[in-house]
Amino acid sequence: MPFPKQVRLVEVGARDGLQNEPNPVATETKLELIDRLGAAGVNYIEAASFVSPKWVPQMGDAREVMTGIQRREGITYAALTPNLKGLEGALETGVQEVAVFGAASESFTKKNINCTIAESLERFAPVIEKARDAGIPVRGYVSTVLGCPYEGDIAPEKVAEVSKTLFEMGCYEISLGDTIGVGTPLKAKRMLEVVSRDIPIDKLAAHFHDTYGQALANLYAVLEEGISIIDSSVAGLGGCPYAKGASGNVASEDVVYLLHGLGIQTGIDLQKLAETGHWITQSIQRPNRSKVGTALMTK
Ligand SMILES: CC(C)(COP(=O)([O-])OP(=O)([O-])OC[C@H]1O[C@@H](n2cnc3c(N)ncnc32)[C@H](O)[C@@H]1OP(=O)([O-])[O-])[C@@H](O)C(=O)NCCC(=O)NCCSC(=O)C[C@@](C)(O)CC(=O)[O-]
């Protein structure tokens, strides 16, 4: 299949990127990050997560973040909502999109959201319904699509089953998460081939972590299969609090460099994005995990 002409980037740095930071990140810093990402041309920003602050303290200021954003025209500001309580909080802030998040592994689901896969889907049903009644589109995440920190290999058929259920329940798009970054290109292609039997490829997103340094190779592999939505995190920030050893998402700067090199448009100003990655990593005293960002900033 030819590469897509355009790829939509879902920037998850302010949420996935920061949720696991051990030290509190000031709300003002999150807001400045979101603003800088918008100025760099990113048009979909996952900004916060309405989860229990006991489970993920770093996202405890979700309301302040969502209401503090100086919204720019043409940008979607989204938030995670695992249950009705989260959705209600998010709706009060004028969120434009929400996401529910499940997984293809029972053990990960239990560790992450404290229920079974079946219970998680039951819990998501009223969230999706209420969001749709409010005119808010719902994205669906499926984690551990290429491996689970507790169960190891995950069958593509299981990924397809959970993805299909979420899609049929009303999620407009399914983001496939290699939560612990263990995937390889052939595994990623095989998983996608099975999932896309039930869900059109243009409704599937790749959400790959870079723990084993394979994320860009995996993305190239799924781009060849027709994927045109990619989740990434500026400076490669991140890691999941309930997946020990998971490192950050693939870095947005690296993805944009790859895509532009393939002649695929993103609408993103790479230099400004690299400056944003440099700024946030300096601000929270983290190494910049983007090779492209580091190269551009030391030029
Ligand atoms: C889902 C729950 C809440 C269940 O947690 P629970 O303990 O089973 O829930 P509960 O309903 O029994 O409530 C317990 C307490 O939490 C409160 N509570 C309940 N819900 C909320 C809420 N929405 N917002 C704020 N507070 C909430 C509730 O009010 C109560 O407070 P208490 O009475 O004890 O004071 C919990 O497990 C949780 O918050 N988990 C979040 C885990 C998380 O955020 N993980 C990271 C995101 S997923 C990810 O990163 C992967 C992804 C998406 O990026 C893709 C990939 O890479 O694979």
Side-chain angles (χ1 to χ4, degrees):
M1 194 179 278
F3 287 125
K5 286 198 170 57
Q6 201 161 2
V7 160
R8 181 159 70 81
L9 239 78
V10 170
E11 171 59 50
V12 297
R15 193 281 302 171
D16 208 350
L18 296 181
Q19 69 184 6
N20 205 27
E21 274 303 302
N23 301 316
V25 178
T27 307
E28 294 69 41
T29 306
K30 295 179 184 176
L31 290 171
E32 185 167 348
L33 172 62
I34 291 163
D35 195 57
R36 283 176 182 253
L37 289 167
V42 176
N43 65 15
Y44 190 110
I45 301 177
E46 198 173 75
S49 189
F50 287 79
V51 293
S52 162
K54 283 184 195 149
W55 284 65
V56 186
Q58 193 61 259
M59 292 288 113
D61 60 352
R63 171 182 290 272
E64 290 72 23
V65 170
M66 286 309 296
T67 53
I69 297 170
Q70 296 287 322
R71 297 191 188 202
R72 290 172 188 261
E73 188 88 19
I75 301 183
T76 301
Y77 299 98
L80 294 195
T81 55
N83 53 18
L84 273 176
K85 187 177 167 86
L87 176 69
E88 278 152 16
L91 290 178
E92 283 167 15
T93 67
V95 72
Q96 285 156 281
E97 270 199 27
V98 296
V100 293
F101 49 102
S105 136
E106 284 292 353
S107 316
F108 182 79
T109 307
K110 187 75 189 160
K111 293 266 190 210
N112 196 36
I113 51 174
N114 202 23
C115 58
T116 64
I117 294 176
E119 285 163 350
S120 75
L121 297 169
E122 270 173 41
R123 197 186 275 175
F124 298 150
V127 176
I128 296 169
E129 201 179 306
K130 189 165 177 160
R132 290 181 88 196
D133 287 349
I136 302 295
V138 184
R139 199 167 195 247
Y141 277 104
V142 179
S143 286
T144 63
V145 300
L146 295 173
C148 167
Y150 312 105
E151 293 179 18
D153 277 349
I154 296 291
E157 289 70 20
K158 187 66 197 170
V159 180
E161 185 190 315
V162 179
S163 302
K164 182 174 182 234
T165 307
L166 283 174
F167 191 64
E168 287 177 348
M169 283 166 67
C171 292
Y172 75 93
E173 175 175 300
I174 303 297
S175 174
L176 300 164
D178 181 12
T179 314
I180 52 169
V182 288
T184 53
L186 287 182
K187 269 179 112 178
K189 275 193 184 206
R190 162 91 182 112
M191 180 275 298
L192 190 62
E193 188 261 307
V194 178
V195 176
S196 62
R197 286 178 200 160
D198 297 315
I199 304 176
I201 195 93
D202 65 342
K203 304 288 180 204
L204 294 171
H207 179 110
F208 294 164
H209 287 254
D210 200 31
T211 321
Y212 285 76
Q214 303 295 301
L216 276 186
N218 295 342
L219 283 176
Y220 188 88
V222 297
L223 280 165
E224 283 189 320
E225 301 303 306
I227 280 284
S228 60
I229 310 155
I230 294 176
D231 300 0
S232 62
S233 171
V234 70
L237 295 173
C240 177
Y242 297 101
K244 199 166 176 281
S247 79
N249 291 84
V250 65
S252 306
E253 301 90 315
D254 299 1
V255 175
V256 170
Y257 186 82
L258 171 75
L259 294 174
H260 290 182
L262 289 168
I264 299 172
Q265 291 175 19
T266 64
I268 292 172
D269 180 329
L270 180 57
Q271 182 62 31
K272 279 194 181 163
L273 188 64
E275 286 163 14
T276 302
H278 179 71
W279 169 80
I280 186 65
T281 47
Q282 296 275 302
S283 301
I284 64 170
Q285 299 181 331
R286 282 270 159 201
N288 189 338
R289 292 211 198 99
S290 166
K291 291 217 167 194
V292 169
T294 306
L296 286 174
M297 295 316 294
T298 47
K299 223 158 93 168

